[in-house]
Amino acid sequence: MDERYVDWCAACDWNVDPGAPDPEQGRIPAARRRLAHAYGEQLAAEMERGGGESGPVGRDAATLLAFALSLLVHGVTVMLAVTGILLVVLGWDTGVQPAVGALLLGLAAVLRPRPTRLPKDGPVLYRADAPRLFELIDEVGAAVGTAGVHAVVVDPEANAAVTTYGLRARRMMILGLGLWEILPPQERVALLGHELGHFAHGDTRRGIVTGGALRALATWFYVLAPTPPDGLLDRFVNAVTFLPRWTVYGLLVLLDHLTLQATQRAEYLADVSAAKAGSTEAAVGLMDRILVSRAVGPELRWESVAAQVRGGSAGREARERAEQGLWERLASHVGAVPEHEYERLRRVAARRGHSVDSTHPPTHLRRRCAATGGPYAAQVTYDEDRASTVAQELAPARAALARRVIRDYAG
């Protein structure tokens, strides 16, 4: 048995999950995960009964209530801004009111809904920079019933996402090399299909109104968090903020209730889009790669630490060597994971209810739905010629991010 992998028994599950329990979460992520798991089985059953051909989600009474509640949250932010302006403009004779007004304006600025911006410190690709990559994204978008994107942000993490940026709500895809590089060709198509499927099917939590309200309520909960009671003043402040804090928490849980089911349905439908674009087999394989992607971060940190153990000119040479072929070594490391380890991770995921984050359905349910749906043949193929051209277009970003990993990931 390879010492890199757990020795376990597939017949009786002996030692299948020897790791430490998952770390304790904060109150908000824990509440969201409980909701996600509660909805997961129900929605998975719906999908397996044929719910995979649904159109856009988020057009029911719960969505309308969530939108109204979000407007109420933003209305409080507007009231803070208006009050702050009045205190600053009209309160100069007291000297105290302008200070309070400035504080309210600062809080309103933090709570306001705002569009995403393109990152300033990471590689951003546009159509002219990577025409074959954008051609691939366009083709996948057409296969799942939506358009492509205006920009691709490349980062080193094991992730992928789509969102909009700027006041004109242009489309952006975040492509994490830590995930992209460990995927076989058709699973890369499935990944693109999943992400673009979010545009095709919709997700109210990704919108600026509802998403902004969720962020605002989470900020309020943080601001109103109790301080250690070291003195009488701390106890008084904690007592005064007790009711507002739990009111905010109740509103946050309510908004989660109103939106999480639609969000999880959107995830399942995005998985259907992944299968339609890349094939059912590729969509199922993508779920397995998500399970092993947890090893990507530690592997990149190990590469960084190993390159920095030497100082001086020898250290520089070691870092330069480590940068070269970093992503190929990562792909080789993950590619060597044997099937029995994948099976163990699938069983552990089912036991622990593993999910990508606190709002996603459990991964083992997503995999089950992907495996039982369809089956779908690939609508988009990723042949060697296309893969080679896309790799050349990504080469500058891969080199820049390899330097960042080797330089910064050692901690």
Side-chain angles (χ1 to χ4, degrees):
M1 183 67 68
D2 194 325
E3 63 180 13
R4 293 175 298 175
Y5 306 111
V6 174
D7 187 9
W8 65 288
C9 176
C12 66
D13 275 356
W14 169 80
N15 205 41
V16 69
D17 187 14
D22 292 332
E24 292 293 328
Q25 301 171 322
R27 186 180 297 274
I28 294 173
R32 285 176 174 164
R33 194 172 293 277
R34 286 193 297 270
L35 277 177
H37 288 182
Y39 290 137
E41 288 282 0
Q42 172 191 344
L43 291 173
E46 289 182 14
M47 296 295 296
E48 291 170 336
R49 288 196 301 268
E53 300 299 327
S54 302
V57 299
R59 295 181 178 177
D60 53 9
T63 301
L64 295 177
L65 287 174
F67 188 77
L69 179 56
S70 300
L71 291 179
L72 177 63
V73 172
H74 295 313
V76 173
T77 303
V78 172
M79 289 177 57
L80 287 175
V82 171
T83 303
I85 291 172
L86 292 175
L87 288 175
V88 170
V89 173
L90 303 177
W92 285 105
D93 55 336
T94 65
V96 176
Q97 292 179 1
V100 176
L103 180 63
L104 294 180
L105 286 173
L107 183 57
V110 172
L111 296 171
R112 78 189 190 283
R114 50 193 180 274
T116 303
R117 296 180 178 180
L118 289 173
K120 297 180 179 179
D121 59 345
V124 179
L125 302 178
Y126 299 97
R127 194 168 294 271
D129 303 315
R132 291 300 299 275
L133 173 62
F134 277 79
E135 177 186 279
L136 173 64
I137 292 172
D138 290 342
E139 190 173 339
V140 172
V144 303
T146 189
V149 298
H150 299 91
V152 174
V153 177
V154 189
D155 73 22
E157 306 302 325
N159 70 346
V162 290
T163 186
T164 58
Y165 68 95
L167 296 177
R168 299 173 63 183
R170 291 181 175 272
R171 291 182 170 191
M172 172 177 71
M173 176 178 288
I174 300 170
L175 196 61
L177 291 182
L179 180 58
W180 178 262
E181 295 290 341
I182 68 174
L183 298 178
Q186 281 306 123
E187 290 179 19
R188 294 180 182 180
V189 174
L191 175 66
L192 297 179
H194 175 91
E195 297 306 331
L196 292 171
H198 283 296
F199 286 134
H201 300 294
D203 186 346
T204 56
R205 292 171 69 97
R206 293 172 182 262
I208 190 171
V209 176
T210 304
L214 286 164
R215 288 189 294 272
L217 287 171
T219 302
W220 272 117
F221 190 73
Y222 174 79
V223 169
L224 297 171
T227 58
D230 293 332
L232 185 61
L233 179 60
D234 291 330
R235 296 177 186 276
F236 174 76
V237 171
N238 290 344
V240 169
T241 59
F242 178 82
L243 185 59
R245 179 171 68 253
W246 288 104
T247 300
V248 166
Y249 181 73
L251 291 173
L252 185 56
V253 171
L254 175 59
L255 194 53
D256 274 332
H257 268 288
L258 293 172
T259 58
L260 262 178
Q261 189 168 17
T263 292
Q264 292 210 333
R265 182 174 284 110
E267 287 295 336
Y268 282 121
L269 292 175
D271 290 336
V272 174
S273 295
K276 288 181 176 179
S279 77
T280 294
E281 181 182 2
V284 172
L286 175 61
M287 296 300 147
D288 287 340
R289 299 288 174 168
I290 288 174
L291 293 177
V292 299
S293 66
R294 283 186 169 184
V296 168
E299 182 67 15
L300 293 179
R301 282 191 291 274
W302 183 89
E303 288 274 357
S304 179
V305 170
Q308 296 191 38
V309 292
R310 294 182 179 180
S313 59
R316 285 194 298 272
E317 293 175 0
R319 288 190 291 272
E320 290 174 358
R321 287 195 301 271
E323 292 167 10
Q324 298 172 4
L326 172 67
W327 303 113
E328 288 80 4
R329 292 194 301 275
L330 176 65
S332 176
H333 175 79
V334 175
V337 176
E339 173 56 30
H340 69 79
E341 179 65 7
Y342 276 108
E343 177 59 26
R344 186 187 73 83
L345 291 174
R346 287 192 285 265
R347 298 189 189 191
V348 173
R351 286 187 171 205
R352 297 194 180 197
H354 168 275
S355 57
V356 174
D357 61 26
S358 61
T359 65
H360 277 62
T363 304
H364 73 282
L365 296 180
R366 294 175 59 194
R367 186 184 189 279
R368 191 180 79 193
C369 288
T372 57
Y376 297 103
Q379 294 189 40
V380 179
T381 56
Y382 196 59
D383 57 28
E384 291 186 6
D385 176 65
R386 172 177 272 178
S388 175
T389 306
V390 170
Q392 291 175 16
E393 294 175 345
L394 288 173
R398 294 171 83 248
L401 292 175
R403 284 192 296 272
R404 182 191 300 179
V405 167
I406 298 302
R407 181 189 64 203
D408 298 338
Y409 272 43

